[in-house]
Amino acid sequence: MTRRTDWSGSEDVTSGAAGEAEDRSGRKGRKNGGGPTSSRAETGPPRTPEEQARAICLRLLTGSPRTRKQLGDALHQRGIPEEAAEEVLSRFEDVGLIDDAAFADAWVESRHHGRGLARRALARELRTKGVDSAVIDVAVSRLDSDQEESTARELVDRKLRTTRGLDREKRLRRLASMLARKGYSEGLALRVVRRALEEEGEDPELLDHHLPDV
């Protein structure tokens, strides 16, 4: 709690300085209507790189959680010196405003249940966001093989109706490709598709012409 107070100290100082400047401009405004003096007060002194970095990070985190790398890239793009950026990012980690492990867990939960993505696709997405490999491994391991297969079957069941009327080979290819794009292994994809089509009434012997025995 003390650290959070320390972080907000620069805002308090800035607000106080702005209040004093406004008071001065207000007194002068009774004489000159608050002309150029008021504009100068609103502008205020230039902020330090650390203050700028802190403001940028807070603004980005207000929109959605971000990884340390995402925030670091944003600071670099805005010209924040590396030393100032690293200091601010480390402080944000210390107080829990940046937590890559929590980000990865939430990402896996959301993207698996919302988009049906498998562990391989989830790991790929987290890598692009700069999450450490060890953190990714822990996050995706929360999805076991049974959960993956269950989700894959739900995806196939939803897609089956839209593929009816296609020839058998095209249908098989479309369903398996859909699972592959979501990160499911070839073996799991073929197994799930085969079982779904058999339960729908497809002849297993005819499926053997297009699918390996998995």
Side-chain angles (χ1 to χ4, degrees):
M1 184 64 68
T2 304
R3 294 180 115 164
R4 295 293 295 272
T5 303
D6 291 342
W7 269 111
S8 62
S10 61
E11 284 189 348
D12 294 339
V13 172
T14 304
S15 300
E20 292 174 3
E22 182 178 353
D23 183 60
R24 287 196 299 271
S25 65
R27 288 199 299 270
K28 293 184 179 181
R30 287 191 289 270
K31 296 181 181 179
N32 58 21
T37 304
S38 178
S39 299
R40 286 195 299 271
E42 290 176 1
T43 301
R47 291 185 295 177
T48 66
E50 290 78 10
E51 290 173 330
Q52 294 177 51
R54 178 175 176 274
I56 292 167
C57 288
L58 286 175
R59 184 168 63 252
L60 292 173
L61 289 170
T62 298
S64 63
R66 308 289 178 113
T67 66
R68 176 170 178 141
K69 183 179 186 302
Q70 287 178 306
L71 292 171
D73 289 345
L75 296 179
H76 177 73
Q77 290 170 4
R78 288 163 174 78
I80 302 298
E82 183 176 353
E83 184 176 349
E86 287 300 312
E87 179 181 340
V88 170
L89 293 172
S90 294
R91 290 294 298 274
F92 271 49
E93 279 188 326
D94 289 344
V95 299
L97 292 175
I98 299 175
D99 188 336
D100 281 5
F103 178 96
D105 288 344
W107 188 268
V108 168
E109 178 75 14
S110 173
R111 300 285 282 178
H112 178 72
H113 292 290
R115 297 285 304 280
L117 299 186
R119 286 173 289 187
R120 185 166 56 184
L122 292 166
R124 184 168 57 245
E125 289 186 340
L126 288 170
R127 280 194 296 272
T128 66
K129 296 182 180 301
V131 179
D132 184 80
S133 295
V135 174
I136 293 174
D137 290 343
V138 172
V140 300
S141 69
R142 300 181 190 279
L143 289 177
D144 59 28
S145 298
D146 290 341
Q147 178 62 56
E148 266 198 337
E149 185 159 344
S150 175
T151 302
R153 179 56 193 266
E154 291 174 7
L155 292 169
V156 169
D157 286 344
R158 290 203 296 266
K159 192 77 172 176
L160 272 176
R161 182 176 57 82
T162 66
T163 63
R164 287 173 188 152
L166 298 176
D167 66 72
R168 185 178 295 106
E169 183 177 1
K170 184 177 291 185
R171 197 178 189 201
L172 292 170
R173 187 167 59 248
R174 184 166 296 185
L175 291 169
S177 296
M178 178 269 294
L179 291 180
R181 287 193 299 273
K182 291 182 179 291
Y184 293 91
S185 67
E186 181 183 21
L188 186 150
L190 294 176
R191 183 168 68 249
V192 169
V193 170
R194 182 189 188 97
R195 185 181 302 129
L197 293 177
E198 286 181 0
E199 291 176 5
E200 194 184 51
E202 285 279 2
D203 187 336
E205 292 186 2
L206 294 177
L207 291 175
D208 286 339
H209 292 292
H210 305 286
L211 289 174
D213 189 11
V214 291

